Amino acid sequence: MKSVQRYIALRKASIKSLQAFEAAYMHKSFAEAAKELSITASAVSHSIQALEEVLGTLLFERVKRGVTPTEAGARLYAVIRRSFSDIDEEMRAILDRSDKPQVVTIQCAPSFAAIWIMPRLPEFLLSHPGIDLRLWAVHAPPDFAGSGADIAITYGRPQASAGIRAAPIAADERYVPVCSPGLVEGHKLPLDPRQIEDFYLIQNDVSLTSWDEWINHYAPGCTNVVRGLRLDRAFMTLSAAENGLGMCVESTVLVRDYLQQGRLVLPFGDRGLPFKAHYLAVPKNKENLQTVQTVLQWINSWMSEDKATGTLSGSRIEASGKVGMSGVATRR
């Protein structure tokens, strides 16, 4: 093909056809690509056929339940992804230098969102009127390409990716038993781990650890424990514990405010299971954007407060000997 003809042909490869190709490659399906782009599957198919005609080669093998990229398709996808990422990064950099309010989307585990982000959100929005912060509270693994998330706070280590930087949100995260002050009325704290048999235990069914692991580690001879509520969110188990319905074992990342405010105490002191459960993840092509940096610094400042004040502020309770009020969920 002559250079002029090649130029004319390549100019026919519109951005829309490249977007349709990228979506079809990611989903391995024209139908799923159509859903993402809010067009018909027929429109996706026609766009890709037009692109294949321009290039003079097949980009997909059509199979019964979808499509499979050819070698040429795989090579083209690699280039398109890099190019789209570069375009996205430059557009964000331009937005960073403009006066238009800029959107930063956080995908976050629901309990972390409820316990950490929501109480601190009003102050952040007042301090940064130029940032439109959006919060997506889900348990799903972060999909930075598909969801548009700029930052993710995950429960559980995110899947490794060369384009994503991820690190534990707190280096010393542990799982510790907590309960309401009233539940341990008349007891000298910290309790002996074997006294776990005197209380109802609240279990978080989606937790990365469990009461069984804590008991096996600290009270291996205890076989007469009684289980209470079974819930599927940490903020609900902590609420149940705060209301005197038993003890729960939860992350120090989540219980810090409860302890500092005296809403919960550490009945067994600082006995916990080391466990890195919460991770902060950000795409490398976004982490240097000013707005994303601002939000990251805001999130990291909470953990800095942790180091300054102490994650577990139960020493004052332990030193006081006994606590008052009446317990509810005790077997005595």
Side-chain angles (χ1 to χ4, degrees):
M1 182 183 291
K2 294 180 179 180
S3 59
V4 174
Q5 293 173 318
R6 182 182 294 111
Y7 173 77
I8 294 172
L10 291 175
R11 290 287 292 175
K12 292 181 180 178
S14 68
I15 290 294
K16 287 186 178 180
S17 65
L18 295 177
Q19 288 176 324
F21 167 78
E22 181 205 26
Y25 188 100
M26 291 175 61
H27 292 289
K28 305 297 186 290
S29 164
F30 288 174
E32 292 302 316
K35 290 179 183 178
E36 179 183 324
L37 299 173
S38 299
I39 59 178
T40 65
S42 177
V44 171
S45 178
H46 286 141
S47 292
I48 292 172
Q49 284 178 3
L51 188 59
E52 289 174 329
E53 289 175 6
V54 166
L55 297 175
T57 186
L58 286 177
L59 299 174
F60 293 104
E61 296 287 350
R62 278 65 169 175
V63 295
K64 187 175 181 180
R65 294 188 177 181
V67 292
T68 301
T70 63
E71 182 181 350
R75 291 201 308 271
L76 180 60
Y77 175 77
V79 174
I80 287 174
R81 286 301 297 161
R82 288 198 302 270
S83 300
F84 280 179
S85 294
D86 289 343
I87 292 169
D88 181 68
E89 185 173 356
E90 184 57 31
M91 290 179 68
R92 286 175 176 273
I94 292 170
L95 277 173
D96 276 344
R97 294 190 292 270
S98 75
D99 295 328
K100 183 179 179 180
Q102 296 155 58
V103 175
V104 177
T105 301
I106 302 175
Q107 178 178 330
C108 184
S111 289
F112 193 97
I115 293 169
W116 274 101
I117 294 183
M118 293 306 296
R120 293 166 171 81
L121 194 54
E123 182 180 358
F124 177 85
L125 295 177
L126 286 172
S127 301
H128 302 88
I131 297 178
D132 183 1
L133 196 62
R134 298 181 183 177
L135 182 61
W136 189 33
V138 294
H139 260 310
D143 177 13
F144 292 106
S147 69
D150 302 296
I151 297 169
I153 301 169
T154 66
Y155 185 60
R157 188 182 187 94
Q159 186 174 1
S161 171
I164 306 299
R165 195 181 305 281
I169 203 164
D172 58 350
E173 184 174 8
R174 286 168 296 129
Y175 275 75
V176 292
V178 291
C179 68
S180 70
L183 193 65
V184 286
E185 177 196 5
H187 291 80
K188 182 172 173 41
L189 302 183
L191 301 174
D192 187 301
R194 291 170 295 183
Q195 291 178 268
I196 194 73
E197 294 182 345
D198 295 337
F199 301 91
Y200 290 106
L201 306 182
I202 304 166
Q203 179 64 44
N204 179 353
D205 283 340
V206 297
S207 176
L208 296 178
T209 186
S210 67
W211 268 117
D212 288 335
E213 290 187 50
W214 192 91
I215 292 169
N216 289 339
H217 187 83
Y218 288 105
C222 293
T223 57
N224 192 32
V225 296
V226 171
R227 310 303 169 121
L229 288 172
R230 299 184 70 94
L231 303 168
D232 66 351
R233 292 288 186 271
F235 71 86
M236 292 195 294
T237 63
L238 290 169
S239 177
E242 184 180 3
N243 283 283
L245 301 180
M247 295 181 177
C248 68
V249 58
E250 285 294 351
S251 164
T252 51
V253 167
L254 299 181
V255 303
R256 191 198 75 170
D257 285 358
Y258 290 84
L259 295 173
Q260 290 186 347
Q261 295 163 12
R263 295 155 61 191
L264 294 173
V265 297
L266 299 164
F268 301 102
D270 203 11
R271 295 182 175 97
L273 300 172
F275 210 112
K276 291 180 174 61
H278 291 86
Y279 283 78
L280 182 61
V282 61
K284 292 179 181 178
N285 65 348
K286 295 182 179 181
E287 64 181 342
N288 291 323
L289 299 177
Q290 185 57 53
T291 49
V292 172
Q293 276 290 314
T294 298
V295 177
L296 287 172
Q297 289 166 8
W298 174 56
I299 294 170
N300 286 323
S301 70
W302 311 335
M303 300 304 113
S304 299
E305 291 172 12
D306 246 7
K307 294 182 176 68
T309 59
T311 302
L312 300 177
S313 55
S315 57
R316 62 179 179 83
I317 299 171
E318 295 170 18
S320 66
K322 296 182 178 182
V323 293
M325 301 172 65
S326 59
V328 176
T330 176
R331 297 174 64 195
R332 287 176 179 263

